[in-house]
mmCIF file of all heavy atoms in Angstrom:
data_model
loop_
_atom_site.group_PDB
_atom_site.id
_atom_site.type_symbol
_atom_site.label_atom_id
_atom_site.label_comp_id
_atom_site.label_asym_id
_atom_site.label_seq_id
_atom_site.Cartn_x
_atom_site.Cartn_y
_atom_site.Cartn_z
ATOM 1 N N GLY A 368 -27.975 3.229 -19.213
ATOM 2 C CA GLY A 368 -27.607 4.489 -18.596
ATOM 3 C C GLY A 368 -28.723 5.167 -17.820
ATOM 4 O O GLY A 368 -29.895 5.149 -18.231
ATOM 5 N N LEU A 369 -28.347 5.784 -16.690
ATOM 6 C CA LEU A 369 -29.245 6.724 -16.036
ATOM 7 C C LEU A 369 -29.463 7.943 -16.928
ATOM 8 O O LEU A 369 -30.503 8.598 -16.862
ATOM 9 C CB LEU A 369 -28.656 7.174 -14.696
ATOM 10 C CG LEU A 369 -28.585 6.093 -13.606
ATOM 11 C CD1 LEU A 369 -27.697 6.563 -12.460
ATOM 12 C CD2 LEU A 369 -29.966 5.713 -13.107
ATOM 13 N N PHE A 370 -28.454 8.212 -17.751
ATOM 14 C CA PHE A 370 -28.530 9.326 -18.704
ATOM 15 C C PHE A 370 -28.368 8.801 -20.120
ATOM 16 O O PHE A 370 -27.494 7.974 -20.396
ATOM 17 C CB PHE A 370 -27.414 10.340 -18.428
ATOM 18 C CG PHE A 370 -27.557 11.092 -17.140
ATOM 19 C CD1 PHE A 370 -27.115 10.543 -15.946
ATOM 20 C CD2 PHE A 370 -28.136 12.352 -17.113
ATOM 21 C CE1 PHE A 370 -27.232 11.226 -14.755
ATOM 22 C CE2 PHE A 370 -28.264 13.048 -15.914
ATOM 23 C CZ PHE A 370 -27.820 12.489 -14.728
ATOM 24 N N SER A 371 -29.187 9.279 -21.027
ATOM 25 C CA SER A 371 -28.935 9.052 -22.448
ATOM 26 C C SER A 371 -27.846 10.017 -22.898
ATOM 27 O O SER A 371 -27.585 11.030 -22.243
ATOM 28 C CB SER A 371 -30.207 9.273 -23.265
ATOM 29 O OG SER A 371 -30.626 10.633 -23.182
ATOM 30 N N ILE A 372 -27.179 9.690 -23.997
ATOM 31 C CA ILE A 372 -26.105 10.542 -24.512
ATOM 32 C C ILE A 372 -26.428 11.001 -25.923
ATOM 33 O O ILE A 372 -27.139 10.320 -26.671
ATOM 34 C CB ILE A 372 -24.740 9.818 -24.497
ATOM 35 C CG1 ILE A 372 -24.757 8.588 -25.420
ATOM 36 C CG2 ILE A 372 -24.351 9.427 -23.080
ATOM 37 C CD1 ILE A 372 -23.396 7.911 -25.558
ATOM 38 N N ALA A 373 -25.924 12.163 -26.267
ATOM 39 C CA ALA A 373 -26.067 12.682 -27.626
ATOM 40 C C ALA A 373 -24.789 13.408 -27.984
ATOM 41 O O ALA A 373 -24.360 14.323 -27.259
ATOM 42 C CB ALA A 373 -27.261 13.629 -27.725
ATOM 43 N N PRO A 374 -24.127 13.015 -29.080
ATOM 44 C CA PRO A 374 -22.891 13.702 -29.467
ATOM 45 C C PRO A 374 -23.178 15.118 -29.950
ATOM 46 O O PRO A 374 -24.245 15.409 -30.510
ATOM 47 C CB PRO A 374 -22.354 12.829 -30.603
ATOM 48 C CG PRO A 374 -23.574 12.170 -31.172
ATOM 49 C CD PRO A 374 -24.510 11.949 -30.024
ATOM 50 N N VAL A 375 -22.227 16.000 -29.726
ATOM 51 C CA VAL A 375 -22.345 17.385 -30.172
ATOM 52 C C VAL A 375 -21.803 17.489 -31.594
ATOM 53 O O VAL A 375 -20.640 17.161 -31.847
ATOM 54 C CB VAL A 375 -21.577 18.330 -29.221
ATOM 55 C CG1 VAL A 375 -21.617 19.763 -29.737
ATOM 56 C CG2 VAL A 375 -22.143 18.237 -27.815
ATOM 57 N N SER A 376 -22.622 17.905 -32.528
ATOM 58 C CA SER A 376 -22.229 18.154 -33.926
ATOM 59 C C SER A 376 -21.428 17.006 -34.530
ATOM 60 O O SER A 376 -20.310 17.201 -35.040
ATOM 61 C CB SER A 376 -21.415 19.457 -34.028
ATOM 62 O OG SER A 376 -22.129 20.540 -33.499
ATOM 63 N N PRO A 377 -21.974 15.798 -34.557
ATOM 64 C CA PRO A 377 -21.188 14.675 -35.097
ATOM 65 C C PRO A 377 -20.879 14.808 -36.590
ATOM 66 O O PRO A 377 -19.862 14.285 -37.044
ATOM 67 C CB PRO A 377 -22.091 13.468 -34.821
ATOM 68 C CG PRO A 377 -23.471 14.030 -34.717
ATOM 69 C CD PRO A 377 -23.307 15.373 -34.086
ATOM 70 N N ALA A 378 -21.718 15.515 -37.326
ATOM 71 C CA ALA A 378 -21.507 15.632 -38.772
ATOM 72 C C ALA A 378 -20.269 16.447 -39.117
ATOM 73 O O ALA A 378 -19.741 16.342 -40.231
ATOM 74 C CB ALA A 378 -22.739 16.253 -39.435
ATOM 75 N N THR A 379 -19.789 17.243 -38.171
ATOM 76 C CA THR A 379 -18.617 18.089 -38.448
ATOM 77 C C THR A 379 -17.314 17.412 -38.053
ATOM 78 O O THR A 379 -16.245 17.983 -38.261
ATOM 79 C CB THR A 379 -18.731 19.410 -37.673
ATOM 80 O OG1 THR A 379 -18.668 19.138 -36.262
ATOM 81 C CG2 THR A 379 -20.044 20.117 -37.982
ATOM 82 N N ARG A 380 -17.367 16.209 -37.530
ATOM 83 C CA ARG A 380 -16.168 15.547 -37.013
ATOM 84 C C ARG A 380 -15.433 14.764 -38.105
ATOM 85 O O ARG A 380 -16.017 14.373 -39.108
ATOM 86 C CB ARG A 380 -16.540 14.620 -35.859
ATOM 87 C CG ARG A 380 -17.221 15.328 -34.704
ATOM 88 C CD ARG A 380 -17.442 14.404 -33.524
ATOM 89 N NE ARG A 380 -18.168 15.046 -32.432
ATOM 90 C CZ ARG A 380 -18.353 14.516 -31.229
ATOM 91 N NH1 ARG A 380 -17.861 13.308 -30.964
ATOM 92 N NH2 ARG A 380 -19.018 15.158 -30.311
ATOM 93 N N LYS A 381 -14.163 14.532 -37.822
ATOM 94 C CA LYS A 381 -13.328 13.778 -38.743
ATOM 95 C C LYS A 381 -12.930 12.445 -38.122
ATOM 96 O O LYS A 381 -12.831 12.331 -36.893
ATOM 97 C CB LYS A 381 -12.067 14.570 -39.086
ATOM 98 C CG LYS A 381 -12.332 15.871 -39.824
ATOM 99 C CD LYS A 381 -11.020 16.584 -40.140
ATOM 100 C CE LYS A 381 -11.280 17.862 -40.922
ATOM 101 N NZ LYS A 381 -10.000 18.561 -41.238
ATOM 102 N N PRO A 382 -12.679 11.423 -38.939
ATOM 103 C CA PRO A 382 -12.197 10.152 -38.390
ATOM 104 C C PRO A 382 -10.863 10.338 -37.667
ATOM 105 O O PRO A 382 -10.026 11.137 -38.091
ATOM 106 C CB PRO A 382 -12.027 9.261 -39.620
ATOM 107 C CG PRO A 382 -12.891 9.882 -40.666
ATOM 108 C CD PRO A 382 -12.871 11.352 -40.400
ATOM 109 N N VAL A 383 -10.702 9.603 -36.590
ATOM 110 C CA VAL A 383 -9.440 9.657 -35.862
ATOM 111 C C VAL A 383 -8.306 9.146 -36.748
ATOM 112 O O VAL A 383 -7.218 9.695 -36.771
ATOM 113 C CB VAL A 383 -9.531 8.833 -34.565
ATOM 114 C CG1 VAL A 383 -8.193 8.843 -33.828
ATOM 115 C CG2 VAL A 383 -10.624 9.388 -33.663
ATOM 116 N N LYS A 384 -8.601 8.073 -37.494
ATOM 117 C CA LYS A 384 -7.655 7.527 -38.449
ATOM 118 C C LYS A 384 -8.340 7.403 -39.803
ATOM 119 O O LYS A 384 -9.536 7.151 -39.870
ATOM 120 C CB LYS A 384 -7.153 6.156 -37.993
ATOM 121 C CG LYS A 384 -6.341 6.187 -36.704
ATOM 122 C CD LYS A 384 -5.862 4.794 -36.316
ATOM 123 C CE LYS A 384 -5.045 4.829 -35.042
ATOM 124 N NZ LYS A 384 -4.584 3.465 -34.640
ATOM 125 N N LYS A 385 -7.597 7.540 -40.877
ATOM 126 C CA LYS A 385 -8.161 7.478 -42.209
ATOM 127 C C LYS A 385 -8.895 6.161 -42.416
ATOM 128 O O LYS A 385 -8.360 5.087 -42.156
ATOM 129 C CB LYS A 385 -7.053 7.624 -43.254
ATOM 130 C CG LYS A 385 -7.575 7.704 -44.682
ATOM 131 C CD LYS A 385 -6.442 7.939 -45.670
ATOM 132 C CE LYS A 385 -6.983 8.055 -47.095
ATOM 133 N NZ LYS A 385 -5.886 8.277 -48.070
ATOM 134 N N GLY A 386 -10.144 6.269 -42.844
ATOM 135 C CA GLY A 386 -10.955 5.082 -43.077
ATOM 136 C C GLY A 386 -11.602 4.520 -41.841
ATOM 137 O O GLY A 386 -12.341 3.550 -41.908
ATOM 138 N N GLY A 387 -11.302 5.126 -40.704
ATOM 139 C CA GLY A 387 -11.831 4.621 -39.445
ATOM 140 C C GLY A 387 -13.060 5.369 -38.995
ATOM 141 O O GLY A 387 -13.707 6.096 -39.756
ATOM 142 N N CYS A 388 -13.374 5.215 -37.719
ATOM 143 C CA CYS A 388 -14.588 5.792 -37.157
ATOM 144 C C CYS A 388 -14.419 7.264 -36.826
ATOM 145 O O CYS A 388 -13.345 7.715 -36.432
ATOM 146 C CB CYS A 388 -14.968 5.055 -35.884
ATOM 147 S SG CYS A 388 -15.444 3.344 -36.139
ATOM 148 N N VAL A 389 -15.510 7.986 -36.961
ATOM 149 C CA VAL A 389 -15.605 9.320 -36.399
ATOM 150 C C VAL A 389 -15.894 9.145 -34.917
ATOM 151 O O VAL A 389 -16.767 8.375 -34.531
ATOM 152 C CB VAL A 389 -16.726 10.122 -37.069
ATOM 153 C CG1 VAL A 389 -16.933 11.447 -36.359
ATOM 154 C CG2 VAL A 389 -16.407 10.332 -38.538
ATOM 155 N N GLY A 390 -15.127 9.843 -34.076
ATOM 156 C CA GLY A 390 -15.286 9.621 -32.649
ATOM 157 C C GLY A 390 -15.144 10.875 -31.832
ATOM 158 O O GLY A 390 -15.380 11.985 -32.321
ATOM 159 N N PRO A 391 -14.719 10.745 -30.577
ATOM 160 C CA PRO A 391 -14.652 11.899 -29.673
ATOM 161 C C PRO A 391 -13.357 12.691 -29.764
ATOM 162 O O PRO A 391 -13.203 13.676 -29.048
ATOM 163 C CB PRO A 391 -14.772 11.238 -28.296
ATOM 164 C CG PRO A 391 -14.106 9.907 -28.482
ATOM 165 C CD PRO A 391 -14.434 9.482 -29.886
ATOM 166 N N TRP A 392 -12.421 12.257 -30.628
ATOM 167 C CA TRP A 392 -11.097 12.881 -30.684
ATOM 168 C C TRP A 392 -10.911 13.649 -31.973
ATOM 169 O O TRP A 392 -11.128 13.119 -33.056
ATOM 170 C CB TRP A 392 -10.018 11.816 -30.551
ATOM 171 C CG TRP A 392 -8.641 12.371 -30.363
ATOM 172 C CD1 TRP A 392 -7.687 12.558 -31.314
ATOM 173 C CD2 TRP A 392 -8.072 12.822 -29.133
ATOM 174 N NE1 TRP A 392 -6.545 13.092 -30.758
ATOM 175 C CE2 TRP A 392 -6.761 13.266 -29.411
ATOM 176 C CE3 TRP A 392 -8.534 12.890 -27.820
ATOM 177 C CZ2 TRP A 392 -5.918 13.773 -28.421
ATOM 178 C CZ3 TRP A 392 -7.697 13.401 -26.838
ATOM 179 C CH2 TRP A 392 -6.400 13.830 -27.145
ATOM 180 N N ASN A 393 -10.494 14.920 -31.852
ATOM 181 C CA ASN A 393 -10.264 15.769 -33.013
ATOM 182 C C ASN A 393 -8.820 15.590 -33.484
ATOM 183 O O ASN A 393 -7.889 16.016 -32.791
ATOM 184 C CB ASN A 393 -10.521 17.235 -32.639
ATOM 185 C CG ASN A 393 -10.461 18.152 -33.840
ATOM 186 O OD1 ASN A 393 -9.789 17.878 -34.832
ATOM 187 N ND2 ASN A 393 -11.164 19.277 -33.748
#
Side-chain angles (χ1 to χ4, degrees):
L369 292 167
F370 292 84
S371 64
I372 63 174
V375 176
S376 304
T379 65
R380 301 186 183 188
K381 296 181 178 180
V383 178
K384 295 181 180 179
K385 186 176 182 180
C388 294
V389 173
W392 190 263
N393 187 333

